[in-house]
Amino acid sequence: MIKEKIKNIFSFEGISLIIGIVGSLTAYSTILITDWNYSLSLKWLIFTIYISFTIILILIKLIVDLNAELKIKSPNTTMIFRYVPENQTFLVHKNDFLGHLAMVSIFYIDDSFEIELGKGYVKNIQDNFIQVKLLEISESFTLNHSEILEKINSNNIIALQKIIVKSYIIYTN
């Protein structure tokens, strides 16, 4: 994350902006200073101010970008787009919160309520997808929602879109 921001700062647009601002400040200061023969070399002072402004602008841009990125918090849920009943494996789009062998809870959304479908773990992480192996299906879901379970087994798109994977395990007695 920080490497990307630093890379963006040192991109063509970031460097152009910094050079433009610092160059404008330097040009303005040369208008005010007319006598360059003081005992303290003002040329070195201007150079030091130029370097300082450049570093300060880089740090301010980095702080603003990181602050904006931290305010955007990605949710720790993801939707399922395919189910392979032979392996009892769900395919989800790749994301940052599911790591290899992470335990997950799988929920079905029914009229805005999340009903526990089961538990699983991240079996494999591919380039674009994550395979989530279903370990167990909740008994209450099997008893109360058997028709939905059949739709999931047949890869019904509407049923699959109502399933979410969360990166935590719920308490059961």
Side-chain angles (χ1 to χ4, degrees):
M1 179 167 86
I2 292 177
K3 286 183 181 180
E4 291 177 17
K5 294 299 176 188
I6 292 174
K7 190 175 182 181
N8 288 339
I9 287 173
F10 290 111
S11 68
F12 181 72
E13 292 86 14
I15 294 294
S16 299
L17 178 68
I18 291 169
I19 289 174
I21 291 172
V22 173
S24 298
L25 291 173
T26 305
Y28 181 71
S29 65
T30 58
I31 293 171
L32 298 176
I33 301 171
T34 56
D35 187 11
W36 292 93
N37 294 324
Y38 289 122
S39 61
L40 173 66
S41 177
L42 289 178
K43 293 177 186 178
W44 284 106
L45 179 64
I46 295 297
F47 179 73
T48 306
I49 292 171
Y50 176 78
I51 297 298
S52 300
F53 274 129
T54 304
I55 292 171
I56 288 170
L57 288 174
I58 289 172
L59 291 175
I60 288 173
K61 185 174 185 331
L62 182 64
I63 289 170
V64 167
D65 289 347
L66 287 175
N67 189 27
E69 189 170 321
L70 288 176
K71 284 183 181 178
I72 301 170
K73 184 179 181 183
S74 62
N76 64 342
T77 61
T78 187
M79 300 289 224
I80 291 174
F81 69 91
R82 187 165 177 226
Y83 178 62
V84 182
E86 300 85 34
N87 301 337
Q88 288 190 324
T89 304
F90 291 107
L91 285 180
V92 299
H93 291 287
K94 192 171 183 179
N95 54 53
D96 293 335
F97 71 89
L98 290 177
H100 191 66
L101 297 176
M103 296 295 293
V104 295
S105 293
I106 303 165
F107 294 92
Y108 182 79
I109 301 174
D110 187 22
D111 293 329
S112 300
F113 290 103
E114 292 180 359
I115 302 167
E116 181 191 10
L117 190 145
K119 294 177 181 64
Y121 72 96
V122 176
K123 182 178 179 181
N124 189 17
I125 298 176
Q126 299 171 246
D127 289 336
N128 297 323
F129 310 113
I130 296 176
Q131 296 176 8
V132 176
K133 173 77 172 166
L134 183 62
L135 293 175
E136 66 180 39
I137 297 175
S138 172
E139 289 180 28
S140 64
F141 191 82
T142 306
L143 294 174
N144 300 328
H145 303 285
S146 59
E147 68 281 350
I148 295 172
L149 204 52
E150 290 176 15
K151 288 180 182 179
I152 293 170
N153 283 331
S154 64
N155 270 321
N156 183 317
I157 295 173
I158 296 170
L160 290 177
Q161 288 176 346
K162 292 183 177 183
I163 298 174
I164 59 172
V165 176
K166 294 187 177 185
S167 63
Y168 61 88
I169 303 298
I170 62 168
Y171 170 74
T172 57
N173 4 346

